[in-house]
Amino acid sequence: MPDWSYHGIFRPLLNILPPNVSRELIHRGMSFIATLPFQIGPQVIHFLGREENSPLIQKNNHGLTFHNSVGLSGKIDPFLSGTRAFTNLGFGFLEIGPVTAKQTTHFTTPIVDRKAEAIQFPAKVESVGIEKTIDHLHKVKKKQPLFVRLSGTYEELSFMIKRLEQFADGYIIESSFPVLIQETNKPIFFSTVPPSESLIDSSFAGIVLEHTEKDIRLHEKVKKLRNNGYKGTIITSGGIKEPEQAIQLLDAGADFIMLSDGYVFAGPGLTKRINEALLDRLDYSPPQLHGWFAYWLFGLFIMIGGLLALLFSMTTVVLPYDELFLGMKRESIMTFNERIMLFMAHDRMTLAGTMISGGIVYMQLAKHGVKHGLKWAKQAIDIAAIIGFLGIFAFIGFGYFDWLHFVFWLVLLPVYIYGYMKSIGVTGTPSSKNRKNDVIFRRGLFGQLAFVLLGFSFVLGGIIISTIGMTTIFVPTDLAYICMPAEMMNTFNENLLPVLAHDRAGFGSALISVGLLVLMLSLWGFQQGNRWVWWTYLIGGLPAFWAGIYIHFAIGYTTFIHLLPAYIALGLYFIGLILSYTFFNKTEARH
């Protein structure tokens, strides 16, 4: 669940429910998606959130590889109902528990202070017990180290360690039993609230410092331990609501950090934001790839094709090969029904605007994304381009094969393949200037939501238009505008409907492809400080909206219900531009 959906859609609804009900609802819902068959669930989660990490922030500790330094506290998921989802959300490690030998008979509802953005977790240890924990862990497809927090007597701890050896990569205990290190070859960390000086010579692998609301200066505790010579691993738990606080702790000497209540209030994207901020501080510039220019040319050719299509739609409308297929000149169609020609201009101009916009977005993704090694930008181009190429099959069902379109397809294909092959090695992940949960960040989330909805609406609209083009060709408002049923047009010229179907399905296919570009740019490219993304939206969106709305007024096809989707899309476009402007163009914090 990305932040744009969490804050913009789900959190207001979840706040109405009791804390334990909303927690289980969202955890079980995410786990259901994560466990869909054939890896569909993880792919959906990855598509919406892209939680991959750069190797530059990877860590190795105690023989374990951590993709990043950010973990999730077990306090967030006491019933382990969300563990299968959390493994897919980009964490470097997960804490399981606390686990006790026996199940707790009564579970306390956490107290949520929404104003202070704090959660008071149960004071006493509450657990589903060792047996249920093992049942849950059997179902988890582990993608990162798991640290199991244990609570109990020495005998109980020893017993649970033996039972959990096949699942745990390390243990966190709340009682000082150094002798337990003889029970396992895996690291054991001692959890403590006030760090005692005696821990400096501890035989434990490290310590877990617990954050409390009464003492918010957790980073100073970490710094004091390091200054006093403590060499063990330091893990902090809680005290992080925004990336800046995570950076403070890591700079002070913490090896790893665990998110707790701050994760609930900041949103599930906090992990990703921290990792992007850490990468941003490295100021790493990946080597430029040669394949980006081929992708840029691919976009340029599409834009040029769109400009030519725009020219034709504003002048002759019907091209010579159209007339050859129809067996008549454009004047004959005009004499029969002028509005048929205007309707063709309507479809062809909207296609032209969509192509111009798509070409601009392709060029921007190539220049600012692929050129700088961003894997998401390459994948966005690949997905949209392949869908676009396949779109040629959407408009041949009625028997009209557009040779000019096919030649254009043949020109684009080798350019795309060259760019694809030369950029196969792209592995870079994005960085971000975002450090605070300030007004810039909050507005940006709603701007992102608007653009995501815009991308989804384009894809859905393209599917609907393509389907109509391959089946009925017209909607009722089309026939009302033309003032003629399809049967009469077919009687006039049996090749006329295939040409109109070709135009309609071709536009729908292009809209799907461009919609995917907008959607993926909105899902994957929303990092603070990415000015080029905002300008891509602005410049890339104008041709499609101008052509799509202008032509309707130019030909008098202004039926409100027909234009309503375009008006809604235009509204989302402007809302997204306004709300995301400061997010992309300014980096200083505002509270």
Side-chain angles (χ1 to χ4, degrees), residues 146-403:
L146 298 181
F147 291 162
V148 182
R149 182 181 288 261
L150 305 175
S151 182
T153 65
Y154 171 79
E155 290 74 16
E156 289 173 333
L157 294 177
S158 178
F159 165 75
M160 289 188 288
I161 286 175
K162 290 182 175 64
R163 294 294 311 277
L164 292 164
E165 277 292 275
Q166 64 175 309
F167 307 105
D169 295 290
Y171 302 96
I172 299 172
I173 63 173
E174 299 175 352
S175 301
S176 185
F177 295 125
V179 70
L180 282 172
I181 64 174
Q182 300 175 12
E183 305 282 346
T184 178
N185 59 359
K186 296 176 180 178
I188 297 179
F189 304 95
F190 177 56
S191 174
T192 177
V193 176
S196 171
E197 296 295 328
S198 62
L199 293 173
I200 294 177
D201 297 321
S202 172
S203 54
F204 290 112
I207 58 173
V208 177
L209 298 182
E210 304 286 347
H211 172 262
T212 63
E213 289 300 323
K214 294 180 181 180
D215 186 1
I216 61 174
R217 299 186 179 278
L218 189 57
H219 67 282
E220 293 186 0
K221 293 181 180 181
V222 174
K223 187 178 294 185
K224 182 178 179 181
L225 277 172
R226 289 303 188 200
N227 290 340
N228 288 341
Y230 185 70
K231 302 297 184 183
T233 299
I234 297 179
I235 305 173
T236 65
S237 181
I240 299 171
K241 296 179 182 178
E242 51 191 12
E244 185 65 37
Q245 293 168 331
I247 291 173
Q248 276 186 339
L249 285 168
L250 293 170
D251 285 347
D255 297 286
F256 301 98
I257 53 179
M258 286 195 290
L259 307 179
S260 59
D261 52 351
Y263 181 74
V264 175
F265 294 102
L270 179 57
T271 313
K272 183 178 181 180
R273 292 166 58 204
I274 292 171
N275 291 329
E276 289 174 348
L278 291 173
L279 185 61
D280 177 66
R281 294 203 315 162
L282 298 177
D283 197 25
Y284 171 73
S285 299
Q288 295 185 3
L289 299 174
H290 297 294
W292 78 269
F293 189 66
Y295 276 151
W296 188 86
L297 287 177
F298 177 76
L300 178 64
F301 290 160
I302 291 176
M303 186 181 73
I304 292 173
L307 289 171
L308 291 175
L310 180 65
L311 176 64
F312 295 141
S313 71
M314 297 175 70
T315 53
T316 61
V317 182
V318 177
L319 296 175
Y321 62 83
D322 294 322
E323 294 179 333
L324 181 65
F325 179 75
L326 291 168
M328 63 173 58
K329 296 293 184 179
R330 61 190 298 270
E331 290 79 11
S332 299
I333 303 175
M334 292 283 288
T335 302
F336 175 68
N337 187 338
E338 180 185 19
R339 289 205 167 188
I340 294 176
M341 189 66 66
L342 295 176
F343 184 79
M344 292 177 68
H346 146 273
D347 271 354
R348 295 189 173 192
M349 182 173 284
T350 50
L351 170 63
T354 302
M355 289 177 63
I356 295 170
S357 290
I360 292 171
V361 177
Y362 277 123
M363 293 165 69
Q364 287 286 91
L365 286 171
K367 181 178 180 180
H368 298 282
V370 180
K371 182 179 180 180
H372 297 286
L374 292 178
K375 184 177 180 180
W376 73 262
K378 171 182 168 54
Q379 292 184 338
I381 291 175
D382 292 341
I383 292 172
I386 291 171
I387 295 296
F389 281 123
L390 293 176
I392 195 172
F393 299 105
F395 52 78
I396 62 177
F398 278 82
Y400 180 45
F401 188 79
D402 184 341
W403 284 101

Side-chain angles (χ1 to χ4, degrees), residues 472-533:
T472 61
I473 305 177
F474 304 104
V475 295
T477 55
D478 295 334
L479 297 175
Y481 171 77
I482 297 172
C483 300
M484 184 177 290
E487 292 78 13
M488 187 177 292
M489 286 182 270
N490 191 56
T491 301
F492 168 67
N493 188 322
E494 62 182 10
N495 287 336
L496 183 58
L497 290 184
V499 173
L500 294 172
H502 152 272
D503 290 349
R504 181 57 54 90
F507 167 57
S509 172
L511 190 59
I512 294 172
S513 182
V514 173
L516 285 171
L517 283 176
V518 174
L519 178 60
M520 291 181 287
L521 178 65
S522 304
L523 291 174
W524 304 341
F526 242 80
Q527 288 84 38
Q528 189 166 350
N530 279 356
R531 290 182 175 86
W532 71 270
V533 174

Side-chain angles (χ1 to χ4, degrees), residues 53-60 64-69 256:
N53 299 137
S54 169
L56 297 173
I57 61 173
Q58 180 176 298
K59 281 190 175 182
N60 295 292
L64 300 170
T65 298
F66 299 82
H67 295 304
N68 57 70
S69 305
F256 301 98

Side-chain angles (χ1 to χ4, degrees), residues 17-66:
L17 302 173
N20 55 336
V21 175
S22 62
R23 178 190 64 201
E24 292 308 305
L25 178 64
I26 198 168
H27 285 185
R28 292 179 188 277
M30 290 193 302
S31 288
F32 172 77
I33 295 174
T35 54
L36 289 174
F38 309 113
Q39 288 297 300
I40 294 175
Q43 290 300 322
V44 168
I45 294 172
H46 179 69
F47 181 81
L48 293 176
R50 292 209 69 113
E51 301 289 351
E52 72 261 49
N53 299 137
S54 169
L56 297 173
I57 61 173
Q58 180 176 298
K59 281 190 175 182
N60 295 292
N61 192 290
H62 299 289
L64 300 170
T65 298
F66 299 82

